[in-house]
Amino acid sequence: MGIIRLTNLGRLVLLAPLFFLPGPLFTGGVLGEPPLGEPPLANYYEQGLFEEREGWNLLDSEQLFSPLLVKDPNAAPPVRIVINIPAGRLHFDDGEGGIKDYPISVGTVGYKTPTGSREIDTIVWNPWWLPPDSPWAAGEKPTPPGPNNPLGPAKMPLGESLLLHGTNKEQFIGQAASHGCVRMKKKDVIELAWFLQTHFSEKKEASYLDLYSRNRTQTFVTRLAKPVPVEVIYDPVRVVDDSLVVYPDIYGRRPPLFPMILEKLLSLGIDSRDINMEKLGPTLTPAKKVEIPLEELLL
């Protein structure tokens, strides 16, 4: 949910939640995930603004997160997980007042991470890496759990061969470096997986985490009592604190940036007549992340 703040101009502004900062673009191949096809895209430029808004999910925070609330009959807290591809961040709201933004790696241009609604219903600790039936993995052999495993200490399947997992190449976190899957730092994937396990399974005792750590060459599987929804989005326009942030279009999808930016600003309660349109120029074709304080966008 956003935060209502009184600006120095005397108007109420609803600030969107904190979102994500990406790293530099990387297009090299790294082992660890099967390839994924590129999802079909409509030609939004031949449609009206309403279709553009709908197609690019220009939603406020309440609309975005309301379908993601996990309602557990045993009083488990609502959990919100959103993966933003251009930003290279995973937004996690634990439902208990804790909000985290984890840096991630997404797929390269050749192996794009698909958008859409997913869910986590299984956690695999100390997983094996099995080479997929794909040219990029030709000649590779299965890798057992351990420090050389590309999946790191844990993986969480998201369906259709898409994984959320750790990595043994943390230097590429924040970059588009995978074959489609979403990578996290080892400490981050452990933190996220352990939270889900303790809140959505019967394996809540700390002794389980100790067991996984002491037996790094052995695989353990935990099934969640209820699946946890995950939303994977391609949103290059966000509001971070008091700034408009526009991320590079890493997949070349040519999103309608101007209507997206205008929609975002209007959703904050800013009158369009108060927007300095000249200041928006650098945000329309960003080669790297552009961040402009909101107050500088006002006339």
Side-chain angles (χ1 to χ4, degrees), residues 267-290:
S267 73
L268 300 178
I270 297 175
D271 193 311
S272 61
R273 293 169 294 184
D274 294 333
I275 299 174
N276 187 339
M277 295 300 177
E278 291 184 2
K279 286 284 188 178
L280 294 181
T283 69
L284 300 181
T285 56
K288 59 182 180 179
K289 177 175 71 75
V290 176

Side-chain angles (χ1 to χ4, degrees), residues 51-208:
E51 286 76 18
E52 288 183 334
R53 292 176 177 176
E54 187 175 71
W56 284 95
N57 296 322
L58 303 185
L59 307 176
D60 61 33
S61 59
E62 184 173 355
Q63 288 177 301
L64 178 60
F65 286 135
S66 59
L68 308 181
L69 300 184
V70 180
K71 298 180 180 178
D72 192 290
N74 298 319
V79 170
R80 304 167 181 176
I81 299 177
V82 178
I83 295 168
N84 190 349
I85 295 171
R89 306 291 289 193
L90 182 150
H91 179 85
F92 176 60
D93 184 342
D94 66 12
E96 300 176 330
I99 296 177
K100 286 254 188 175
D101 283 310
Y102 295 109
I104 57 174
S105 285
V106 296
T108 64
V109 173
Y111 297 99
K112 299 176 177 65
T113 299
T115 58
S117 299
R118 304 277 177 164
E119 62 184 27
I120 296 171
D121 60 11
T122 303
I123 300 169
V124 182
W125 299 94
N126 305 330
W128 277 74
W129 178 78
L130 302 176
D133 184 16
S134 179
W136 69 265
E140 296 295 329
K141 299 184 182 301
T143 304
N148 296 322
N149 190 293
L151 302 181
K155 72 175 183 180
M156 291 168 274
L158 298 177
E160 298 179 357
S161 300
L162 184 63
L163 301 175
L164 175 61
H165 63 78
T167 180
N168 63 340
K169 298 182 182 294
E170 292 195 355
Q171 66 270 30
F172 297 132
I173 292 294
Q175 305 174 18
S178 81
H179 287 89
C181 290
V182 179
R183 301 174 180 171
M184 302 179 71
K185 293 181 178 179
K186 292 189 284 289
K187 66 179 181 62
D188 292 342
V189 76
I190 290 173
E191 181 177 82
L192 178 60
W194 182 242
F195 179 93
L196 297 182
Q197 176 164 315
T198 56
H199 287 74
F200 297 98
S201 83
E202 297 179 354
K203 299 177 181 179
K204 306 177 185 295
E205 295 79 11
S207 58
Y208 281 105

Side-chain angles (χ1 to χ4, degrees), residues 16-40:
L18 178 65
F19 270 80
F20 325 114
L21 300 177
L25 181 63
F26 175 78
T27 57
V30 178
L31 297 179
E33 310 85 2
L36 293 166
E38 180 180 357

